[in-house]
Amino acid sequence: MQARSNNLVAAFEIGGRDKVQTVKVRKPKKRDVGATTVRRILPGLSVKDGFTRHPFDLEFGVRTSGLIAGRHLRSGHRHDRHVTAYYGVAPSVFHALISRWQRSSPGALTEETTFVDLGGGMGRAVLLASEVGFKRVVGVELHPTLAGIARKNVCLWRAAGRERSPMRIVEGDAVEFPLPSGPVLIFLFNPFGAAVLRRLLKGWRKALAGRTQHLDLIYVNNEQEGVLESEPGWARLFLGKVRRSKADAIADHKIMANQPEGEYASSNWEDCSMWRREARDVGTRD
């Protein structure tokens, strides 16, 4: 990641209608009496951009709402052009997929498994996963603004006593993030395009050589399903539509309807898949 200039100051504000990451882009000099501070927010996080709070945020006092197109999430990293968009996963879809995974006879108990959200954004999936009872929960996010908001959300969630699993947010590239030791469940909410997914899987091939721990993957809005289909050593456990709850469907439709340009659309379900790294490629079962 490129280092941020010393004259940039990031802040996360709680309490107002427009709770967004702000950046101070001009530091007044001593002689500059009366100079004003210009604040910028990511497109999609202001009311004029159609920003609408999801009921999840209203209920728990966190900040995971917003719809940010990938072109507005430039961080200076070589993978910027492959970023899709930011949008928080519907809680009902997340819970349905975790329940399905727990019924899939995973190679380890939930409490022995590390949950990793790659492209974690503001951390909604991390917060939800922390209540499930995983061994630990990690969110990996490339964009510094989103990672900073996610860290604030983790602090709020922890202070409210909702954390059942240790949580942490890592600012960095998913491809460069080393797989944790032990059984791992990867979560993807369509965070990046095919090029990055291929690089990610290629890196895992070497990391998984001789590894005896289990690796599963949940893929929401699985636009790059073909990349996984062409990758040897993976077995698909599920492919299909996962319906949103009525409350989530209403909320998501409202959020999409508030977009000034109507760039994105919402349906009552998410196309999803679930994968498992085959045991013969990672060694004998534990």
Side-chain angles (χ1 to χ4, degrees):
M1 302 296 293
Q2 293 183 345
R4 300 176 73 84
S5 172
N6 290 333
N7 69 339
L8 298 183
V9 180
F12 182 80
E13 301 177 346
I14 294 292
R17 181 174 60 180
D18 302 326
K19 299 197 292 292
V20 297
Q21 180 81 3
T22 62
V23 178
K24 188 182 294 182
V25 298
R26 184 167 178 256
K27 185 176 181 180
K29 298 179 181 179
K30 289 183 179 179
R31 67 174 182 273
D32 214 1
V33 178
T36 58
T37 298
V38 179
R39 291 175 180 266
R40 294 181 180 174
I41 59 177
L42 289 171
L45 297 187
S46 66
V47 173
K48 68 180 179 63
D49 295 327
F51 173 75
T52 307
R53 297 183 71 189
H54 191 281
F56 178 83
D57 288 7
L58 294 171
E59 180 177 359
F60 299 113
V62 293
R63 176 69 171 89
T64 65
S65 301
L67 173 58
I68 309 171
R71 63 182 178 277
H72 299 310
L73 290 173
R74 298 190 179 279
S75 63
H77 194 279
R78 68 189 179 104
H79 286 157
D80 280 349
R81 64 192 180 96
H82 301 293
V83 173
T84 53
Y86 169 76
Y87 192 72
V89 64
S92 55
V93 171
F94 179 88
H95 288 308
L97 285 166
I98 292 298
S99 295
R100 181 178 288 273
W101 172 77
Q102 290 175 322
R103 298 193 303 269
S104 72
S105 301
L109 299 174
T110 302
E111 56 266 30
E112 298 172 344
T113 302
T114 298
F115 176 94
V116 179
D117 182 9
L118 296 179
M122 299 184 196
R124 184 182 293 176
V126 168
L127 303 180
L128 291 167
S130 76
E131 294 187 300
V132 175
F134 289 101
K135 182 178 181 179
R136 64 180 68 89
V137 176
V138 183
V140 182
E141 172 53 45
L142 182 63
H143 198 281
T145 297
L146 298 185
I149 295 174
R151 290 192 185 99
K152 182 66 176 181
N153 285 328
V154 164
C155 291
L156 292 170
W157 202 256
R158 185 175 291 137
R162 303 192 64 85
E163 180 187 43
R164 285 183 58 197
S165 306
M167 297 182 289
R168 71 184 179 105
I169 302 296
V170 176
E171 181 184 320
D173 182 14
V175 173
E176 299 168 1
F177 177 75
L179 284 171
S181 60
V184 177
L185 174 61
I186 299 292
F187 183 81
L188 301 176
F189 186 14
N190 190 26
F192 34 69
V196 175
L197 184 55
R198 289 191 190 97
R199 290 169 190 164
L200 181 69
L201 294 174
K202 181 179 179 180
W204 285 352
R205 287 177 216 155
K206 184 178 294 185
L208 292 169
R211 178 180 168 124
T212 60
Q213 292 85 2
H214 303 276
L215 179 64
D216 289 350
L217 186 150
I218 290 175
Y219 192 4
V220 182
N221 189 13
N222 55 336
E223 288 187 354
Q224 310 304 331
E225 185 75 5
V227 175
L228 276 161
E229 289 174 338
S230 63
E231 179 71 11
W234 289 84
R236 185 162 54 200
L237 308 177
F238 167 74
L239 176 66
K241 300 182 185 302
V242 176
R243 294 190 65 85
R244 291 173 168 84
S245 67
K246 182 177 180 180
D248 279 342
I250 291 172
D252 286 344
H253 280 299
K254 181 179 179 181
I255 291 169
M256 297 299 173
N258 282 343
Q259 298 172 87
E261 299 178 359
E263 183 174 356
Y264 296 90
S266 176
S267 64
N268 292 334
W269 62 82
E270 290 280 9
D271 292 310
C272 303
S273 63
M274 188 178 303
W275 293 81
R276 177 162 295 154
R277 182 75 175 181
E278 294 178 344
R280 66 173 179 269
D281 286 346
V282 298
T284 58
R285 290 187 176 273
D286 297 340

